[in-house]
């Protein structure tokens, strides 16, 4: 059984074709700049095929992907009929979706109803679903896997904001949380690595990438998470501010005469590690600048670490203790220094990092490792997240 995993952006389409018999990725790639002269980069094993052509919509992009999968140097299947089903990453499932679901007309309508909550993401995800229907036909089963679903279990005390209740009733303004597929995968992986039932564990998962979030997972259930109504909330990220005093927003808007959209762009694209360091949003560049003595780069790293440490403390309090912490995402899987800096401030919880092992295994390269000592009261792991595999597994489970 082969599952196609699709992650559609407004002008991009990322995909993986996974053989579920052995959970092997047969091919993966990305179409960029859909809408004009687009570029498809298709990889199978160590082969890389590039196709540059006009792709006015996601349908032409998906068509190019299908051609790459079935012909030429990057061919991995004989015909499209070998694809059993398609799993889509859908960013916002609102309060409607608490789990992955087979897509039908009602589900499409509900995903569309969630557009006001994710105006940049859901329309793109819908384009991806429609492109699959156009290119692969109506008969192929398609599944939606929501970034928000894992956090749908949060209690109202965690998901409501302290603003007039009518805004929740009128617009469904609340914390939804994102990266749910990753937090679900990583927390289960931690339980497996510990050889324990996830129901008996309190785990904090730190997904540290360009976008970053932390979740408190109690007994396998997300009870709180840092991202909120949108993925802007929480701690400082590559270009996003994370939480701040809401008055900062109105103050800057008034004094700089900015529209809501302009302010939104500053908070989402010009803030965070980029905004403080003035160097880059990329962790590698900022770390390099810091090691060359750039004070603002150092400050950006210190601020991000400090905010992560505070959230871990908050979630340890929210769950009345923790058994494990996991680091994942591009930064969590590659930057031993952040893992060490964070763990150094968690000794009060009984965290004891095996610093030598953590350093020797700075890049975990697809593996999962325990980086705490045998005596550490809290087990600490670096885990390779795999959101595509979760989407493929959910898809297979549902179409079975
Ligand atoms: P996203 O999926 O949110 O775009 P990723 O999970 O791919 O982000 O993480 C991107 C971040 O990971 C970047 O800041 C990048 O610098 C960092 N990163 C990737 N590889 C390394 C590495 N080898 N060392 C340090 N940081 C890394």
């Amino acid at each position: 059984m082969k599952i196609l995993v699709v992650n559609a952006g407004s002008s991009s389409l990322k995909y993986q074709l996974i053989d579920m018999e052995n959970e092997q990725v047969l091919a993966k790639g990305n179409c960029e700049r859909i809408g004009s002269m687009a570029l498809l980069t298709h990889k199978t094993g160590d082969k890389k095929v590039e196709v540059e052509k006009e792709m006015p919509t996601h349908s032409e992009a998906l068509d190019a992907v299908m051609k790459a999968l079935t012909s030429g140097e990057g061919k991995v299947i004989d015909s499209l009929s070998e694809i059993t089903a398609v799993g889509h990453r859908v960013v916002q499932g609102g309060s409607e979706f608490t789990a992955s679901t087979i897509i039908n007309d009602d589900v499409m309508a509900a995903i569309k109803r969630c557009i006001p909550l994710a105006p940049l993401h859901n329309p793109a995800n819908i384009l991806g679903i429609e492109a699959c229907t156009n290119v692969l036909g109506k008969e192929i089963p398609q599944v939606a896997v929501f970034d928000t679903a894992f956090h749908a279990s949060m209690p109202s005390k965690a998901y409501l904001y302290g603003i007039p209740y009518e805004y929740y009733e009128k617009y469904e303004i609340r914390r939804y949380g994102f990266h749910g597929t990753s937090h679900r995968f990583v927390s289960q992986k931690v339980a497996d690595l510990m050889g324990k039932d996830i129901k008996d564990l309190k785990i904090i998962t730190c997904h540290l990438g360009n976008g970053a979030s932390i979740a408190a997972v109690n007994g396998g259930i997300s009870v709180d998470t840092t991202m909120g109504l949108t993925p802007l909330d929480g701690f400082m990220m590559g270009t996003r501010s994370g939480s701040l005093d809401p008055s900062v927003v109105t103050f800057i808007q008034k004094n700089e005469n900015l529209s809501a959209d302009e302010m939104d762009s500053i908070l989402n694209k010009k803030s965070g590690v980029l905004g403080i360091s003035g160097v880059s949003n990329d962790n590698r560049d900022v770390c390099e600048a810091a090691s060359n003595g750039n004070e603002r780069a150092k400050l950006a790293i210190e601020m991000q670490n400090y905010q992560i440490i505070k959230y871990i403390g908050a979630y340890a309090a929210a769950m009345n203790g923790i058994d494990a912490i996991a680091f994942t995402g591009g930064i969590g899987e590659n930057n031993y220094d952040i893992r060490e800096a964070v763990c150094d401030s968690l000794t009060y919880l009984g965290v004891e990092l095996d610093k030598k092992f953590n350093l020797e295994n700075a890049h975990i390269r697809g593996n999962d490792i325990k980086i705490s000592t045998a005596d550490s009261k809290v087990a600490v792991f670096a885990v390779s997240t795999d959101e595509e595999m979760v989407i493929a597994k959910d898809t297979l489970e549902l179409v079975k």
Side-chain angles (χ1 to χ4, degrees):
M1 286 217 183
K2 297 179 183 84
I3 304 286
L4 180 70
V5 176
V6 172
N7 180 356
S10 55
S11 65
S12 69
L13 190 144
K14 290 196 193 117
Y15 62 93
Q16 285 195 6
L17 184 67
I18 304 178
D19 186 344
M20 298 309 285
E21 304 291 332
N22 50 13
E23 296 189 358
Q24 220 178 349
V25 178
L26 299 174
K28 64 177 169 182
N30 187 15
C31 257
E32 297 163 271
R33 301 192 306 261
I34 299 170
S36 58
M37 188 55 90
L39 176 69
L40 163 65
T41 310
H42 176 80
K43 292 182 191 159
T44 62
D46 49 13
K47 274 192 225 118
K48 182 166 136 184
V49 180
E50 287 188 333
V51 181
E52 201 169 11
K53 62 185 278 202
E54 282 290 340
M55 300 184 199
T57 71
H58 285 66
S59 291
E60 287 81 12
L62 198 76
D63 198 48
V65 172
M66 293 306 140
K67 287 205 171 79
L69 288 171
T70 53
S71 61
E73 259 205 277
K75 173 178 166 172
V76 286
I77 49 174
D78 289 327
S79 92
L80 299 184
S81 60
E82 286 183 47
I83 302 174
T84 308
V86 186
H88 292 270
R89 174 186 183 213
V90 179
V91 168
Q92 178 56 274
S95 311
E96 309 224 20
F97 296 105
T98 55
S100 303
T101 182
I102 296 219
I103 299 171
N104 57 26
D105 290 346
D106 291 344
V107 169
M108 277 302 263
I111 296 173
K112 285 179 184 164
R113 278 200 297 280
C114 294
I115 288 177
L117 295 171
L120 299 179
H121 292 103
N122 275 31
N125 302 151
I126 289 165
L127 290 174
I129 297 168
E130 288 172 346
C132 286
T133 312
N134 290 342
V135 175
L136 296 168
K138 276 200 158 131
E139 296 71 34
I140 189 149
Q142 298 193 59
V143 166
V145 179
F146 301 93
D147 268 27
T148 48
F150 183 57
H151 303 298
S153 50
M154 282 188 290
S156 50
K157 68 179 176 189
Y159 72 64
L160 282 177
Y161 294 115
I163 55 174
Y165 195 77
E166 68 197 64
Y167 295 121
Y168 170 58
E169 293 177 313
K170 199 166 161 188
Y171 302 114
E172 294 193 277
I173 291 181
R174 49 161 284 187
R175 178 182 307 285
Y176 289 99
F178 298 87
H179 288 144
T181 315
S182 178
H183 290 296
R184 172 156 71 105
F185 175 84
V186 171
S187 53
Q188 184 57 55
K189 178 67 79 175
V190 164
D192 295 345
L193 291 167
M194 292 176 80
K196 294 200 170 152
D197 190 333
I198 195 166
K199 289 203 175 67
D200 301 325
L201 291 172
K202 296 172 181 176
I203 305 169
I204 293 179
T205 47
C206 308
H207 180 111
L208 312 179
N210 252 326
S213 67
I214 299 179
V217 184
N218 193 347
I221 286 171
S222 171
V223 292
D224 208 343
T225 190
T226 53
M227 283 180 170
L229 172 71
T230 71
L232 181 58
D233 201 359
F235 53 97
M236 251 171 67
M237 304 169 221
T239 60
R240 299 177 213 157
S241 63
S243 310
L244 35 80
D245 177 348
S247 307
V248 171
V249 180
T250 45
F251 184 101
I252 295 176
Q253 259 192 284
K254 275 186 209 153
N255 284 279
E256 298 269 317
N257 267 325
L258 298 178
S259 68
D261 283 345
E262 287 168 327
M263 192 65 223
D264 198 64
S265 165
I266 289 173
L267 295 171
N268 273 293
K269 299 190 179 141
K270 297 184 182 154
S271 298
V273 171
L274 170 68
I276 293 293
S277 69
V279 173
S280 167
N281 65 305
D282 193 294
N283 183 257
R284 284 164 289 200
D285 301 338
V286 180
C287 289
E288 197 186 325
S291 64
N292 290 332
N294 183 316
E295 289 301 325
R296 272 175 49 194
K298 277 190 210 167
L299 176 63
I301 294 168
E302 272 174 25
M303 285 173 68
Q304 196 181 39
N305 289 351
Y306 179 64
Q307 293 175 13
I308 293 169
I309 291 161
K310 285 207 294 186
Y311 271 115
I312 292 176
Y315 290 168
M319 293 192 285
N320 193 9
I322 49 171
D323 300 298
I325 299 170
F327 294 95
T328 192
I331 299 172
E333 293 170 31
N334 289 296
N335 189 324
Y336 78 95
D337 214 14
I338 287 195
R339 300 192 302 245
E340 179 173 321
V342 170
C343 288
D344 273 350
S345 289
L346 302 175
T347 49
Y348 74 99
L349 288 170
V351 170
E352 202 180 287
L353 188 74
D354 184 337
K355 291 194 183 185
K356 189 162 169 280
F357 188 71
N358 182 48
L359 174 64
E360 285 166 358
N361 293 279
H363 310 286
I364 61 171
R365 299 181 210 287
N367 295 317
D368 309 307
I369 55 168
K370 185 173 172 185
I371 53 175
S372 51
T373 64
D375 291 337
S376 183
K377 281 199 194 111
V378 174
V380 185
F381 298 90
V383 172
S384 301
T385 195
D386 195 346
E387 288 157 287
E388 288 78 15
M389 191 57 75
V390 178
I391 295 175
K393 282 184 179 170
D394 276 12
T395 302
L396 183 64
E397 193 63 29
L398 283 164
V399 300
K400 258 186 189 166

